[in-house]
Amino acid sequence: MRNVVIIGSGCAGLTAAIYAARARLEPLVVRGHEAGGQLSLTTLVENYPGFPDGVQGPELIERMQKQAAAFGAEFREGDVTRVDLSRRPFTLEIGKEHVETRTLIIASGASAKMLGLESERRLLGHGVSTCATCDGYFFRGREVAVVGGGDTAAEEALFLTRYATVVYLIHRRDQLRASKIMADRLMHNEKIKPIWNTVVTDVLDVARNEVTAAKLRNVRTGEESVLPIAGLFIGIGHQPNTDLFRGQLEMNEVGYLKTHDGTRTSVAGVFAAGDVQDHIYRQAITAAGSGCMAAMDAEKFLEAEQG
Ligand code: NDP
């Protein structure tokens, strides 16, 4: 029987693990198939306090994990495949392993959204990507496109200018959603060519199993065109990883877990931290902060239970 199981190993989960381990709760962290979370897919993080020269995302995660392990957190590879939150102790399945726990901290984060095109799905990993940091290198000297107008798309586009000769930024409106500083960097980079009021309607060429072009439609004029590119990066935001909890925990209309009084979910003893419950701030520092809160909330809950 565990005191606390933490689902997810991004900065919310790892911060929860540091605090829970220091509270002598001997937490078990289930790392998940996107171990390290979104920070492990980024490059330089410039806004995490304490690093005036920035820090590489994967390095920040590795440091947090070391810190949690040093205080006695235990780590398990793999995904939680089933949970039963209808009675306490809660039960979880991690592959073939069956675990019982008094409290649960959900820090399963959010994953990249896709456009929903069949060709996009078929070509994922063959020229379609959701991670410039992971795949940008393959497009040295080629022309690529990024879809989206927020900070994710901006960051992806700027990163890709290291490798690609031209980076088209395809946005469905004529105004960016990205923060001012990112928008300025985009507009001042001569390798980046915005294509406004435009959506991708198809990705070519599924038959060749590689990306050769994107079919576009101007949403104002209806005009259709074909843009030759070697890579298409989807940067249109994220969706929370909450399928496992559907029907068991309260969520908002797009699937983010609802929390109240700190990190409490609709089931007593279950807490949520990081992007799985935050569709507004979504920053490393806010995720870490809510991970800390979740561990403290779980500790208080256990104390109250033991009377
Ligand atoms: P956002 O929701 O901010 O932006 C998503 C973008 O994708 C929007 O421009 C949206 O268009 C567009 N979009 C959404 N769905 C579709 C679709 N189906 N087809 C075409 N376009 C679509 O998500 P982000 O991931 O960019 O950012 C999320 C949060 O994380 C923000 O708060 C951001 O500031 C933060 N962030 C910060 C970073 C940093 O500081 N370095 C880096 C990355 C993220 P429309 O504008 O028309 O809605």
Side-chain angles (χ1 to χ4, degrees), residues 150-211:
D151 279 330
T152 296
E155 211 172 55
E156 300 269 291
L158 287 164
F159 183 80
L160 286 166
T161 59
R162 297 185 191 191
Y163 305 110
T165 49
V166 178
V167 180
Y168 298 100
L169 184 73
I170 304 168
H171 185 31
R172 63 186 178 183
R173 294 186 297 139
D174 60 2
Q175 252 185 338
L176 292 171
R177 184 180 292 279
S179 53
K180 181 93 179 58
I181 185 166
M182 295 294 262
D184 284 349
R185 281 184 200 166
L186 279 183
M187 293 306 139
H188 289 106
N189 192 312
E190 54 190 27
K191 277 190 174 180
I192 295 178
K193 299 200 186 323
I195 303 180
W196 304 114
N197 301 311
T198 297
V199 292
V200 174
T201 54
D202 202 7
V203 194
L204 306 176
D205 183 346
V206 172
R208 285 173 55 178
N209 205 26
E210 64 176 334
V211 172

Side-chain angles (χ1 to χ4, degrees), residues 199-260:
V199 292
V200 174
T201 54
D202 202 7
V203 194
L204 306 176
D205 183 346
V206 172
R208 285 173 55 178
N209 205 26
E210 64 176 334
V211 172
T212 57
K215 277 194 182 170
L216 309 180
R217 190 180 72 242
N218 184 304
V219 292
R220 291 237 171 119
T221 63
E223 190 190 330
E224 306 213 333
S225 58
V226 175
L227 179 72
I229 42 169
L232 183 69
F233 289 79
I234 314 296
I236 60 171
H238 297 86
Q239 64 197 19
N241 297 316
T242 52
D243 284 352
L244 202 57
F245 314 108
R246 225 162 265 283
Q248 303 199 64
L249 292 175
E250 275 182 25
M251 303 176 185
N252 75 4
E253 59 289 348
V254 287
Y256 285 90
L257 294 183
K258 283 191 181 171
T259 51
H260 63 93

Side-chain angles (χ1 to χ4, degrees), residues 262-294:
T263 63
R264 286 164 182 78
T265 68
S266 53
V267 170
V270 180
F271 307 90
D275 285 14
V276 76
Q277 52 84 55
D278 167 26
H279 60 100
I280 298 172
Y281 302 103
R282 296 188 274 200
Q283 301 301 300
I285 188 65
T286 49
S290 68
C292 155
M293 288 162 64

